[in-house]
């Protein structure tokens, strides 16, 4: 697809976006160029997944220490534990969905919500919503159904608007385009957070979808630069403020959201650089 036909192409011209794209590319390249990556990339990816899950859970109200996330095995006892467990499952699942994302994004989103909810169906029907009548898991919400997303306090779009915008997002992903991965990932993340299409775990799902775009685009194919780390490091207040800029639809607001997501990837890259250095010293 040519850039002229790519509906996201104009976003590349927003103030500061080109600089963010270049800065992200350089940050990611630095990690991939580290000498440790040649022989221990699997360890770095595993550590990045753990830290990314911790960061995503922190933004969903479960700000646990990394070592607590590492050692815990029970994630079903209370709300924070369930959020951490959901984040860990989503991070593990994201890499399994890459081939499906570009063909059927809605199937992937349904799967992500099922995984986050701990309600995955039988393998034969692994991408279908729950068959339990009236169950809200794994499908976009209907009119009147509540949403539990305490971090985001903006008005909810109607179920009809959610359906229409999800369809548009799906078409955008399937069509592909020439826009940089940062722009596409930021829009996917922002749209899902704005729509909050599921009854629960929308933030976790939105950040997992961002992860899928970054991996699938080729920017971070080994998933070693966890944006979730950077989102958490910048803090919930900055995250919400940047997101509100996206929702405003103004050029300045959208550019600020893209820059915020870019900074998150840079901070995630910096975290993995520190892991590489520690491995090189034999300290981790």
């Amino acid at each position: 697809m040519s850039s002229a036909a790519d509906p996201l192409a104009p976003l590349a011209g927003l103030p500061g976006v080109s600089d963010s794209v270049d800065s992200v590319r350089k940050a990611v390249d630095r990690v991939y160029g580290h000498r440790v990556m040649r022989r221990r990339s699997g360890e770095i990816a595993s550590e990045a997944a753990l830290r990314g899950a911790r960061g995503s859970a922190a933004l969903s109200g479960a700000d646990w220490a990394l070592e607590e996330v590492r050692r815990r095995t029970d994630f079903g006892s209370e709300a924070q534990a369930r959020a951490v467990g959901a984040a860990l499952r989503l991070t593990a699942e994201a890499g399994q969905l890459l081939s499906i994302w570009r063909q059927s994004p809605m199937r992937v989103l349904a799967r992500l919500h099922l995984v986050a909810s701990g309600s995955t169906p039988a393998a034969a029907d692994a991408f279908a919503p729950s068959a339990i009548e009236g169950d809200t898991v794994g499908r976009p919400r209907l009119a009147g159904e509540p949403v539990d997303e305490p971090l985001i306090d903006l008005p909810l779009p109607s179920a009809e608007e959610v359906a229409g915008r999800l369809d548009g997002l799906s078409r955008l992903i399937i069509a592909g385009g020439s826009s940089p991965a940062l722009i596409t990932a930021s829009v996917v993340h922002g749209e899902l957070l704005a729509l909050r299409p599921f009854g629960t775990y929308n933030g976790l799902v939105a950040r997992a979808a961002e992860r899928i775009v970054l991996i699938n685009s080729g920017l971070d194919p080994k998933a070693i630069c966890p944006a979730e780390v950077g989102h958490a490091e910048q803090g919930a207040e900055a995250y919400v403020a940047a997101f509100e800029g996206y929702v405003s639809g103004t050029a300045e607001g959208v550019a600020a959201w893209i820059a915020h997501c870019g900074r998150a990837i840079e901070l995630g890259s910096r975290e993995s650089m520190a892991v590489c250095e520690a491995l090189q010293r034999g300290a981790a």
Side-chain angles (χ1 to χ4, degrees):
M1 175 182 287
S2 68
S3 60
D6 185 350
L8 299 185
L11 300 184
L14 294 178
V17 169
S18 179
D19 290 341
S20 291
V21 169
D22 290 344
S23 185
V24 164
R25 178 77 267 177
K26 289 174 183 175
V28 172
D29 284 348
R30 281 195 292 272
V31 183
Y32 276 84
H34 197 285
R35 60 186 296 178
V36 170
M37 279 293 295
R38 290 197 295 270
R39 61 186 188 279
R40 303 182 74 172
S41 62
E43 293 173 68
I44 297 162
S46 294
E47 191 64 23
L50 183 72
R51 294 173 187 230
R54 193 217 72 82
S56 192
L59 287 173
S60 288
D63 192 3
W64 289 11
L66 180 63
E67 291 310 312
E68 176 71 3
V69 177
R70 196 189 304 279
R71 74 168 185 82
R72 278 286 287 266
T73 57
D74 171 22
F75 296 105
S77 56
E78 42 84 23
Q80 286 197 13
R82 289 194 296 273
V84 174
L88 288 166
R89 291 191 299 272
L90 283 172
T91 303
E93 187 74 9
Q96 310 302 314
L97 303 175
L98 303 179
S99 63
I100 303 165
W101 176 250
R102 286 291 296 272
Q103 283 74 46
S104 184
M106 287 307 302
R107 290 177 69 204
V108 171
L109 292 176
R111 174 68 180 180
L112 290 174
H113 191 242
L114 286 163
V115 168
S117 303
S119 304
T120 51
D125 197 23
F127 293 93
S130 173
I132 301 173
E133 186 175 356
D135 198 338
T136 62
V137 174
R139 64 157 175 80
R141 56 187 168 83
L142 303 177
E145 291 181 341
V147 171
D148 179 16
E149 192 62 47
L151 183 62
I152 306 301
D153 194 28
L154 296 178
L156 280 172
S158 68
E160 183 179 10
E161 182 180 350
V162 167
R165 285 171 64 176
L166 281 177
D167 181 66
L169 185 63
S170 181
R171 291 174 183 272
L172 180 74
I173 293 163
I174 292 169
S178 59
S179 294
L182 169 61
I183 293 176
T184 304
S186 299
V187 168
V188 167
H189 184 170
E191 275 295 286
L192 292 174
L193 203 57
L195 295 176
R196 283 151 286 164
F198 303 109
T200 55
Y201 297 123
N202 287 289
L204 292 174
V205 168
R207 291 184 288 275
E210 178 187 48
R211 168 180 280 266
I212 289 172
V213 173
L214 295 173
I215 299 170
N216 215 21
S217 67
L219 175 66
D220 183 20
K222 296 187 178 189
I224 59 170
C225 301
E228 305 95 327
V229 167
H231 286 305
E233 188 170 332
Q234 292 178 90
E237 185 175 341
Y239 180 77
V240 171
F243 168 67
E244 288 177 350
Y246 175 83
V247 173
S248 75
T250 65
E252 295 80 5
V254 174
W257 171 247
I258 294 171
H260 183 90
C261 292
R263 181 60 178 158
I265 299 168
E266 292 181 56
L267 290 170
S269 302
R270 187 179 71 180
E271 183 95 348
S272 287
M273 278 291 288
V275 173
C276 287
E277 293 294 324
L279 287 171
Q280 185 167 281
R281 295 192 305 269

